[in-house]
Amino acid sequence: MKISLDWIKDFVELPELSPQEMGVRFTLSTCEVEGVEETNAHMEQVSVVEITKIEAHPEADKLRLVSFETGSGERRVVCGAPNVAPGMKVPFAPIGTTLPGGFTLEPKKIRGVMSEGMLCAEDELGLSDDHAGLMELPADAPVGKSLAEYLELKRDVLLDIDNKSITHRPDLWGHYGMAREFSAAFGKPLAKPFDEAWIEKMRGLYNDETPPVSVTVDEGTACLGFCGLSVDGVSIKSSPVWMQQRLTACGMRPINNIVDISNYVMLELGMPNHIFDRDTVRGGRIIVRDMGKDGTFTTLDEMERKMIAADTMVCDAEGPSSIGGIMGGLTSSVKDETNRVFIEVANWKPERIRHTSTRLGLRTDASQRYEKSLDSHQIERTVLRILELLLESCPEAKVVGSLVSDKVQLKPPLIIDLTLERVNSILGTTLEQSEVIRILESLEYKIDAQGDVMKVTVPSYRATKDVEVDADLIEDVGRIYGFDKLIPLAPHNEITVTSLSPAKIMERRIQDFMVLRGRALEIYSYPLTGARLLEQADWSVMNEGLVLANALSPETDRMRPSLVPSLLEKASLNQKFHSKYRLFELGRSYLENEKNFSEDRHQLGIIYFDKNESPFMDVLNLMGDLLESLSLKAQIQPPNPKFANPVVASDWTGRHPHEFLDVRVMGKICGFIGTIHPLMCSKFKIKGNLVMAVLDMTDFMDRPVKDKTKYKPLPKFPGATFDCTVVAETNTPAADVLGVLKKVKLKELEDVRIVDVYPLSESQKTVTLRSWLLDRDKTLAPDFLKEAENKIVAALDKAGYPLKQG
Amino acid sequence: MLQKLEEVKKEFDSEIDSVASMPDMAQFKADYIGKKGRLSALMGGMRDLSVEDKKTFGARANEVKQEMIAAVEKRSQAIELEAINAKLEKNRQDISWTDRITDKGQQAAGLHPLTKVTRELEDLFLSMGFDILDGPHIEDEYHNFEALNIPESHPARDMQDTFWFKDKKHLLRTHTSNLQIRGMETHKPPFKFVGPGKVFRCETLDASHEAAFHQLEGMMVGRDISVPHMIHFLRTLLSEIFKSELKVRLRPGFFPFVEPGFELDYECLLCGGKGCSVCKQVGWVEALGCGMVHPNVLRGGGIDPNEFNGFAFGLGIDRLTMMRYRIDDVRHLHSGNLQFSEQFRTY
Ligand SMILES: [Zn+2]
C-alpha cells in the first residue's frame, strides 16, 4: 500500500527529514516501509515555453532545431517530435532536471548541434503513457510558469508499505490511521477533523424526509451492519486535480467525482464503501441476504462469477446488486447521467469475506480491508466524510432523509488493566508511569490510573482483534518509546545438561558412516510426489488419503509413500553425469494412518550405481557394517513368503529374483537391499547396475545407541588353525558350507571363515575353510587337535561336502 | 714382511669396491682373511721373525685384519642394499596416478549443505543448554494454527499459503512453530529448546522461492524474561553464526504467537551498513522473526503467563545456507543432483 506524506500532512506536521530517513523511522516504529519515492520534484523545474522558430537540422532529416521563449530568454534544442509548430505552448525541462525515469538531463550535442534541455511528451513527465508527441499546453498557459504551479502538482513523498506488516492493524489501512502513528512516533499533535463535534455538525444535514431506500439485513449473513444515505442532485464531473493526484499516487485511476470520492474516503479512513446510482435500486429496498442457492453474478469488471448458496449478497427487490464486502455489480455503478445516489457503508465478517474472496480468487481493496476486522464505529463517520466531499464537489446536492441502517452493533469499549511494573519488566526499562501514559495517549488510548493499575480504554478501531491483552499495550509502549533504546542484557541462566536425542544421534551416525565408510554424497529429494512418478515406479501405495487440496502441480500433489520412487528418479538423473556413483538420503515418507490420519516415516535410502560391475556386494557389506555400528540386533536374510516386507511390496517389479534381501532389526522386517530389476531400470532409462537399500528407522531410532562391547582377556596360550578344502555344488552358497562349521559342537572352535572358493568343473566348486582353535586355559595337545580336525571334516562330509581328494 | 703386509692391504683396498655380488664377496673374503687366505699365509711366516719384529708385525697384522673385516661387512651391506633397491626399481609404481586424477566415476563424499548448517546450529544451541526437538511434517490445525493464537478467522492464515489435505483439518506445517506447542507438551518451565525442520508453503517456485524449505524454531521460557534478554541472546547467536560481532536492530513485526513481535535485522556485513546489493541498499539484512511468547500460547500450553514468560524465534535455514555458500538457486537444495552435492564434499 502506498502512503502519501502530502496527505499525511493534512493531519499532522512532519519533521524535516529526508524521505529515506522518514522511511527508516516509520519502519522502526510502526511497519515495514519497502520503498520511498519522491514525486513531482521535477515539475518545479519544468516550465511552460512558447515555440518561436523551427529549422532543419543540418545533418539529420528527422530532427529539427526548435527555438522557444522561456520567459527569461530564448533557448534552442534538438527535437524529433512530429507535432512541433511555431506558437505552440509546451513543457520544457532544462539541463539538470531529473525526470521520473531517473535520468538527469546533461548538456549534449545531438548530431553536432548543442541541445539545451528537452521539450517533453506526457510520458517523459510521468503524467501519462502518451508518447505520441510533445505535450500540448493550452494557448493561455503563461510562459515561464513552472508546470508544478500551472498544473497545481504538489511535490510528494510516497512510502510503499509492506501489506503483510499491517495484517494485524485494520486501523492502518487508511491515511488517517497512518497519520496517528506519525503523530505518536514524532511526538507531534494529531489534527482531529472528524471528531464527535464534526459528526454532530454533519448530522445537521439529515432531514425529516422519508428515506427513499430502506435497508434490511437478514440474520446469519456475513454482514455486521449496513448503513446508507440518499443524496439527490449530484452531477458527474472530474475530480479536482489535488484529489486525482492523491489517488494516482496511491495507485488508483481517477474516474469521476463520485467514484473518486468513494476511493478517496476508503484510502483516507480505511473503510470501503460503495456509491450506487440510486435509480438502479429496484423497489426502493436493499436487502442483505445469502444467495440461498448456487448461481452466477456479473461483477463490475464484467466477469461472470460463480456464487454458492452461503455467499452474502447485497440485493434490491429484484435480485443481487453486489457481492457483500467484495465487489459491486455491473448494473449499479454510477453513469454520466446519474443524479441521485445512495451511499453505502457496511461492515462484514472477516472470515466469511475471506472464504468467499479466496474461493472466487477475487481479492479487492474492499475485501482485503474487511478481512482485517474493521470497526463498526467508523461506519457513520465514513458516510459523513463522503457526504462532506460530495457537497464540496456538488454544492447543489442535498441529503434526502437521514441515515438508514440495520444490524449495526457497537461493541462496548475494551478496558485492559496494565501495571507499570509489568511494562518495565517485559521491556527491561525504568519508565515512569507518566511516560507510559503519555505514549498510550498519543495513540488515543484513554487511561484511568487507579493506584498501581492503569485502566486502559482501547480505541474501538484497535479493539476489533489487534489489541486484546496487556502484552499488546506493552508492544505499543515499546515501539513508540523505541526498541532501539533497549539495552541488551544477558539472561540469568539455570545450569542444564543437554544432549542430542537418541534419534538425532542415530541420524548423525548414519550420515557420518555413509560419508566416511560408504563414500557417498548426501542428497535431499522432494517429500511431495505425484501419481505419475508412483505409477512409473509401479508403486502400489498411491497415498490417495494424503493428496493435497491445493497442490501446485500434479507432480507434487501428494506425500510420498516411500523413498524408493524418489531415489529411482534421482538415480536416473545422475547416471547422465557419472558412470559410477553412490548417494544416500535421510528423508521422510508418509503413510496414511486410520487413527492419527498420517504417520511420518523416517527412512534411509542408499543408491550405488555402476555402469559396468554390480555393486551389490558393496552395499550388502556396507549395510552389515552400518547395522553393527549402530549396535542393532539385526539380520540380513533372503525374503521369506511368510513374512511380508512393509517397506516394499512382495510383487514389486523392481525386485531382483536373486539379489534381494530383507533387513530385519529387533525381529521386525524394516528394510531391504536389492539390485533393481533391469525391467524397472529401463522404465527410468537407467543403463547399468543399480543397487538400492532402504532402511525404515522409525521403530528403533528413539532407542539410544548402546556400546555393547564385552572385553575378553587376551589368550595366554597359543591357538592353532586348520584349513580344509571341500567340494560343493556350484550353486550352493558358500555361506551354507560355512554354516555347517558354525554348528559343530566344539567349545575350542573360536571362529570359522571362508578362505577361498574355486571352480572345479561346470557343476562343482571347491571351498577352502579355515578354523581357529583355542583353549584359554592350556596349550592344545596334538591328540586333541587331530580329534578336532576329524570332527570338522566329518561334519562337512555328513552335510554333503566331502574333502577334496588329491 | 711388514712391507708385504702393507702391499696386501693396499691390494685389498683397491679391489674391495669392485666386488659386486654376495658370492664374489664370499670368495674375496676367503682370499684375504679366510683360513687359507693371504693374511693367514703371511701370519704363518711370523715365526721366523725376531721377538721384537714379531711383536710389531703381529700388532699390525691384527689391525689390518680388523680393518678388512669391517670393510667386508660394510661392503656386504652396500651390495645387499643395491640388490634390494634394484628389485624396488624394477617394481616401481607411478605414485602420481592418484584416485583424484583418475576417472572412476564419482569419488567425492559428503553431507548436504543443509545438513552441515543445521548441525552447526544444533551444536551451537546445545552448547547454550538448549534441547533439540523434532516434530511431524503433517500437522493438524490445532498445532499449526489454533494453539499458536491463529484462530480460523485470523488473516495470518492467509499470509502463510497453507497446503491443506482434502479433509481440511490436516495440513503441511507452514512453520516450525508447531514445535513450540509440541515442546510445551513435553517440557515443564523453565525450559529452552530449538527445533529445526522442513516446512511447506504453497508458493510458486522460482530461484528464491521453494514450497518445501527449512526453519529453526526456538523457545525459551522462564521467570522474568525481558525483551533486552532476547536481544542479547539473539545478538550472541547471530554473531556466533556469522563469526563476527554483529549489530542488530528490532523493528515491529507481526506474528500472532508473539506479543510484542519483531523482525530482527543485523547490520549488513558486506557494506557495514552503508547499503549494497545484498542488503537492498538498506544497510540491514532481515535475519529472523522473534518476540515475547503470547500469553494465549503459554496458557494453551498449560503454563501460567503470570508466573512464566519467555521469547520465541524462528529463522530460515535455507536462506542462511544460501548466504553461506552463495548458492544461486534454492531449487538446487532438493534437486538430488550430485553435481550440486559434490561441491559440499567432506573429501
Ligand atoms: Zn549491504
Side-chain angles (χ1 to χ4, degrees), chain B residues 267-285:
Chain B
E267 199 179 67
C268 179
L269 289 168
L270 226 67
C271 63
K274 287 187 202 76
C276 68
S277 64
V278 166
C279 58
K280 294 180 199 147
Q281 310 305 329
V282 191
W284 295 90
V285 182

Side-chain angles (χ1 to χ4, degrees), chain A residues 46-268:
Chain A
V46 177
S47 62
V48 180
V49 298
E50 182 173 353
I51 295 173
T52 51
K53 194 167 72 179
I54 299 171
E55 300 160 90
H57 190 291
E59 306 204 4
D61 290 349
K62 293 210 172 144
L63 297 176
R64 275 171 286 177
L65 307 180
V66 181
S67 302
F68 49 86
E69 179 53 49
T70 63
S72 52
E74 188 146 295
R75 298 277 179 88
R76 191 177 71 172
V77 299
V78 178
C79 177
N83 63 337
V84 277
M88 191 175 164
K89 299 258 178 90
V90 294
F92 165 65
I95 305 274
T97 311
T98 302
L99 292 172
F103 87 99
T104 304
L105 295 177
E106 285 165 17
K108 80 171 171 199
K109 279 187 175 173
I110 298 176
R111 296 284 193 101
V113 181
M114 199 61 187
S115 193
E116 304 173 88
M118 188 166 109
L119 299 176
C120 307
E122 286 190 21
D123 70 331
E124 287 155 342
L125 294 173
L127 288 170
S128 79
D129 298 335
D130 189 359
H131 191 68
L134 297 182
M135 175 179 188
E136 189 165 1
L137 296 167
D140 61 357
V143 169
K145 206 166 204 177
S146 80
L147 236 63
E149 210 180 326
Y150 177 63
L151 295 175
E152 298 172 53
L153 297 173
K154 263 172 140 180
R155 191 183 187 130
D156 197 359
V157 171
L158 302 176
L159 301 186
D160 192 358
I161 306 289
D162 176 8
N163 284 351
K164 278 191 180 175
S165 76
I166 50 172
T167 310
H168 58 308
R169 294 286 303 269
D171 62 313
L172 297 188
W173 287 75
H175 279 75
Y176 190 67
M178 284 289 185
R180 190 183 297 116
E181 290 288 323
F182 278 98
S183 137
F186 296 119
K188 303 276 182 187
L190 177 72
K192 295 177 179 167
F194 317 118
D195 61 359
E196 288 305 315
W198 171 85
I199 289 180
E200 219 30 67
K201 187 194 90 191
M202 290 301 295
R203 277 177 183 155
L205 296 166
Y206 296 164
N207 54 52
D208 294 339
E209 283 176 59
T210 309
V213 174
S214 73
V215 165
T216 321
V217 177
D218 280 4
E219 294 291 343
T221 65
C223 189
L224 286 171
F226 191 104
C227 285
L229 188 67
S230 297
V231 179
D232 280 8
V234 301
S235 51
I236 307 300
K237 48 185 144 186
S238 291
S239 307
V241 174
W242 63 266
M243 184 182 279
Q244 292 197 23
Q245 255 193 81
R246 285 183 175 180
L247 290 172
T248 310
C250 294
M252 293 234 158
R253 199 158 54 91
I255 309 260
N256 59 43
N257 56 341
I258 305 298
V259 176
D260 291 356
I261 286 169
S262 169
N263 285 330
Y264 186 87
V265 173
M266 176 181 73
L267 292 177
E268 184 170 66

Side-chain angles (χ1 to χ4, degrees), chain A residues 319-601:
Chain A
S321 58
S322 68
I323 308 175
I326 299 177
M327 195 183 254
L330 188 55
T331 50
S332 62
S333 47
V334 244
K335 293 156 203 73
D336 285 347
E337 60 281 8
T338 296
N339 178 264
R340 301 186 288 197
V341 295
F342 180 76
I343 305 166
E344 169 208 314
V345 182
N347 197 8
W348 306 88
K349 292 177 185 164
E351 57 275 17
R352 295 275 299 262
I353 296 296
R354 198 162 64 84
H355 276 154
T356 303
S357 78
T358 308
R359 199 195 67 246
L360 294 174
L362 182 61
R363 277 193 112 204
T364 59
D365 286 309
S367 76
Q368 65 172 337
R369 284 176 170 79
Y370 286 123
E371 282 175 11
K372 312 293 183 279
S373 294
L374 295 183
D375 172 22
S376 291
H377 286 86
Q378 308 308 321
I379 295 177
E380 191 178 3
R381 178 173 281 122
T382 305
V383 173
L384 294 174
R385 176 61 175 151
I386 292 170
L387 177 62
E388 187 176 48
L389 289 172
L390 212 52
L391 293 174
E392 240 172 62
S393 174
C394 314
E396 68 285 4
K398 59 182 282 293
V399 175
V400 190
S402 60
L403 196 70
V404 287
S405 82
D406 194 19
K407 300 278 190 302
V408 178
Q409 284 190 347
L410 301 179
K411 279 196 216 150
L414 171 66
I415 298 169
I416 297 172
D417 289 357
L418 180 69
T419 65
L420 185 64
E421 193 263 323
R422 184 98 171 141
V423 174
N424 282 327
S425 105
I426 299 273
L427 296 179
T429 46
T430 52
L431 293 173
E432 300 281 341
Q433 180 157 323
S434 58
E435 175 71 354
V436 173
I437 292 177
R438 187 194 64 74
I439 290 172
L440 289 174
E441 281 178 345
S442 75
L443 291 167
E444 298 197 55
Y445 289 99
K446 291 195 172 52
I447 292 96
D448 177 11
Q450 300 179 350
D452 284 346
V453 179
M454 291 173 269
K455 298 256 172 210
V456 180
T457 305
V458 181
S460 60
Y461 49 82
R462 296 291 301 280
T464 55
K465 183 157 279 165
D466 174 22
V467 176
E468 293 170 328
V469 293
D470 63 356
D472 300 302
L473 303 177
I474 294 169
E475 175 173 70
D476 274 356
V477 172
R479 63 190 180 83
I480 299 300
Y481 170 72
F483 288 123
D484 50 342
K485 292 191 196 132
L486 305 184
I487 298 155
L489 185 70
H492 37 86
N493 216 337
E494 289 87 5
I495 292 168
T496 41
V497 177
T498 49
S499 57
L500 285 174
S501 65
K504 278 268 175 207
I505 290 173
M506 183 170 291
E507 280 186 359
R508 285 193 180 194
R509 287 179 82 126
I510 292 174
Q511 286 167 327
D512 290 340
F513 180 92
M514 286 309 301
V515 169
L516 297 175
R517 160 73 175 82
R519 203 176 190 133
L521 286 167
E522 186 182 24
I523 63 158
Y524 285 23
S525 65
Y526 226 54
L528 295 164
T529 190
R532 194 196 55 81
L533 179 65
L534 295 179
E535 277 159 17
Q536 191 183 354
D538 266 342
W539 206 253
S540 51
V541 185
M542 294 298 282
N543 265 2
E544 295 296 349
L546 298 180
V547 171
L548 297 168
N550 53 337
L552 285 170
S553 74
E555 274 71 46
T556 54
D557 71 347
R558 66 192 70 202
M559 305 315 291
R560 62 174 169 194
S562 165
L563 249 54
V564 173
S566 313
L567 290 175
L568 286 170
E569 195 179 41
K570 298 309 171 197
S572 174
L573 166 78
N574 284 300
Q575 56 141 19
K576 289 182 201 150
F577 311 113
H578 294 293
S579 57
K580 183 175 171 181
Y581 60 80
R582 297 166 294 272
L583 60 84
F584 76 100
E585 173 169 17
L586 268 185
R588 288 193 199 183
S589 58
Y590 312 83
L591 293 177
E592 296 172 49
N593 180 301
E594 243 171 73
K595 205 172 111 223
N596 301 321
F597 181 72
S598 68
E599 49 179 319
D600 287 23
R601 305 295 303 184

Side-chain angles (χ1 to χ4, degrees), chain A residues 24 27-32 164-165 167-168 350-351 354-355 358 363 371-372 422 424-429 465-466 468-472 474-475 479 483-484 486-494 496-501 504 507-509 511-512 514-528 544-552 556 559 570 573-574 577-584 588 590 596-600 602, chain B residues 99 103-112 114-115 119 122-123 126 128-138 149 152-159 162-168 170 172-173 190 192 196 198 200-205 210-212 214 220 223-229 231-233 235 249-254 259-263 286 292 294-296 305-306 309 333-339 341-342 345-347:
Chain A
V24 170
T27 293
L28 291 179
S29 69
T30 305
C31 57
E32 190 170 348
K164 278 191 180 175
S165 76
T167 310
H168 58 308
E351 57 275 17
R354 198 162 64 84
H355 276 154
T358 308
R363 277 193 112 204
E371 282 175 11
K372 312 293 183 279
R422 184 98 171 141
N424 282 327
S425 105
I426 299 273
L427 296 179
T429 46
K465 183 157 279 165
D466 174 22
E468 293 170 328
V469 293
D470 63 356
D472 300 302
I474 294 169
E475 175 173 70
R479 63 190 180 83
F483 288 123
D484 50 342
L486 305 184
I487 298 155
L489 185 70
H492 37 86
N493 216 337
E494 289 87 5
T496 41
V497 177
T498 49
S499 57
L500 285 174
S501 65
K504 278 268 175 207
E507 280 186 359
R508 285 193 180 194
R509 287 179 82 126
Q511 286 167 327
D512 290 340
M514 286 309 301
V515 169
L516 297 175
R517 160 73 175 82
R519 203 176 190 133
L521 286 167
E522 186 182 24
I523 63 158
Y524 285 23
S525 65
Y526 226 54
L528 295 164
E544 295 296 349
L546 298 180
V547 171
L548 297 168
N550 53 337
L552 285 170
T556 54
M559 305 315 291
K570 298 309 171 197
L573 166 78
N574 284 300
F577 311 113
H578 294 293
S579 57
K580 183 175 171 181
Y581 60 80
R582 297 166 294 272
L583 60 84
F584 76 100
R588 288 193 199 183
Y590 312 83
N596 301 321
F597 181 72
S598 68
E599 49 179 319
D600 287 23
H602 299 255
Chain B
D99 281 357
D103 177 23
K104 286 191 175 181
Q106 164 233 328
Q107 285 290 303
L111 299 173
H112 192 278
L114 285 169
T115 301
R119 276 194 186 189
E122 286 173 352
D123 290 343
L126 271 178
M128 295 190 285
F130 279 71
D131 271 340
I132 316 276
L133 303 188
D134 197 7
H137 294 167
I138 300 178
N149 202 32
E152 221 252 303
S153 62
H154 205 290
R157 288 210 182 184
D158 279 345
M159 285 164 59
T162 312
F163 278 121
W164 288 95
F165 288 98
K166 287 186 170 162
D167 70 344
K168 294 274 179 182
H170 289 85
L172 285 173
R173 66 173 176 189
K192 39 190 191 293
K198 231 184 256 299
F200 302 81
R201 303 259 173 105
C202 185
E203 285 201 59
T204 314
L205 311 190
E210 243 294 359
H214 303 79
M220 174 164 174
R223 289 188 173 85
D224 300 324
I225 293 177
S226 68
V227 177
H229 290 144
I231 304 174
H232 174 90
F233 170 78
R235 190 182 61 184
R249 73 170 190 190
L250 286 185
R251 57 189 165 84
F254 170 61
E259 189 72 46
F262 308 97
E263 297 277 2
E286 202 173 301
M292 304 302 286
H294 198 287
N296 291 351
N306 293 314
N309 70 345
L333 294 172
H334 273 118
S335 67
N337 189 333
L338 298 181
Q339 291 178 306
S341 297
E342 67 192 354
R345 60 207 286 165
T346 305
Y347 63 93

Side-chain angles (χ1 to χ4, degrees), chain A residues 602-802:
Chain A
H602 299 255
Q603 295 191 327
L604 162 67
I606 302 172
I607 276 193
Y608 273 36
F609 173 81
D610 191 325
K611 212 149 219 153
N612 307 309
E613 287 164 51
S614 165
F616 181 81
M617 293 311 291
D618 293 342
V619 178
L620 176 55
N621 289 324
L622 180 81
M623 182 59 86
D625 290 352
L626 173 64
L627 293 168
E628 184 179 349
S629 79
L630 298 174
S631 299
L632 290 169
K633 201 167 172 289
Q635 295 91 35
I636 299 173
Q637 59 196 30
N640 179 335
K642 277 193 283 190
F643 305 106
N645 188 327
V647 175
V648 54
S650 58
D651 57 354
W652 183 50
T653 329
R655 275 186 185 237
H656 192 280
H658 317 301
E659 293 165 12
F660 185 94
L661 296 167
D662 284 341
V663 178
R664 186 189 278 264
V665 175
M666 296 183 334
K668 275 172 84 175
I669 297 175
C670 58
F672 74 88
I673 302 162
T675 297
I676 299 302
H677 198 285
L679 199 64
M680 180 58 66
C681 285
S682 71
K683 287 178 146 213
F684 283 86
K685 298 198 167 60
I686 296 168
K687 293 190 194 85
N689 304 287
L690 181 68
V691 177
M692 189 188 288
V694 171
L695 181 66
D696 190 309
M697 310 174 297
T698 320
D699 294 335
F700 56 82
M701 67 189 301
D702 289 325
R703 293 169 58 98
V705 175
K706 278 192 190 139
D707 186 348
K708 289 178 179 164
T709 307
K710 275 186 195 136
Y711 173 75
K712 276 192 240 167
L714 304 185
K716 291 193 185 69
F717 302 95
T721 56
F722 166 61
D723 288 6
C724 63
T725 301
V726 296
V727 179
E729 300 294 312
T730 300
N731 285 337
T732 306
D736 286 8
V737 182
L738 189 68
V740 175
L741 289 195
K742 291 199 164 167
K743 284 185 203 127
V744 171
K745 286 200 176 81
L746 191 64
K747 74 172 175 36
E748 288 81 3
L749 189 57
E750 282 272 304
D751 200 4
V752 289
R753 296 283 166 122
I754 293 165
V755 180
D756 201 10
V757 178
Y758 199 78
L760 198 61
S761 66
E762 192 100 312
S763 61
Q764 287 188 313
K765 63 184 172 188
T766 62
V767 180
T768 305
L769 303 159
R770 179 166 297 167
S771 309
W772 277 264
L773 294 154
L774 179 72
D775 189 328
R776 294 188 168 268
D777 300 322
K778 57 179 186 294
T779 307
L780 299 165
D783 288 352
F784 169 79
L785 279 176
K786 192 77 221 149
E787 199 180 310
E789 287 171 18
N790 289 338
K791 210 166 177 176
I792 288 168
V793 171
L796 287 164
D797 196 73
K798 197 179 163 204
Y801 309 119

